[in-house]
Amino acid sequence: MAHINDRAVIERLMRTKGTWAIVGLTTNEWRSAYDVALYVRDRMGMEIIPVNLPGDDVHGEKGYRSLAEIPAEKHPIDVVECFVNSQKVGPVIDQAIAVGAKAVWLQLGVFDDAAVERAKAAGLDVVVDSCPAREGWHFGL
């Protein structure tokens, strides 16, 4: 069954200050993750943690290769925002569950019904096929 986003959950995630691990955030300025991460940090006021295969730092923030590599003092991760292909998001959601994240946010065009159901079963809030930068205007952010 396809997930339907809850507007109240989106607003709460966007307004509650916390830590967002952004999976797929790289130094490539042409990727949407690059600008959306700035929005999450600078407009929404969140701490961001870049997660990318080489573990590159982005926007002056320390990068990591996986959610599991993020040091314990950075936990709990409030939101894992997923800028990865739908075919690759399932393992990211499983990592989010394993590290105790509170929510997963699948970026525009990212879908995996089975992984979303695993996240919900584990008690995580879930947002699918959405972008915080696009949602922000609804909430005056």
Side-chain angles (χ1 to χ4, degrees), residues 48-127:
I48 63 167
I49 302 172
V51 179
N52 53 67
L53 291 177
D56 290 336
D57 297 353
V58 185
H59 300 311
E61 307 291 346
K62 171 76 176 123
Y64 299 91
R65 290 182 181 92
S66 71
L67 294 172
E69 288 187 10
I70 299 170
E73 65 269 10
K74 294 283 188 182
H75 291 285
I77 296 169
D78 297 294
V79 178
V80 174
E81 186 174 6
C82 302
F83 279 93
V84 297
N85 293 332
S86 295
Q87 299 83 355
K88 296 179 180 180
V89 79
V92 173
I93 290 175
D94 293 338
Q95 286 180 37
I97 294 166
V99 301
K102 297 176 186 172
V104 290
W105 188 306
L106 280 61
Q107 193 57 33
L108 295 168
V110 180
F111 302 93
D112 184 329
D113 291 340
V116 164
E117 290 306 315
R118 291 194 302 275
K120 289 198 255 184
L124 279 69
D125 287 323
V126 177
V127 178

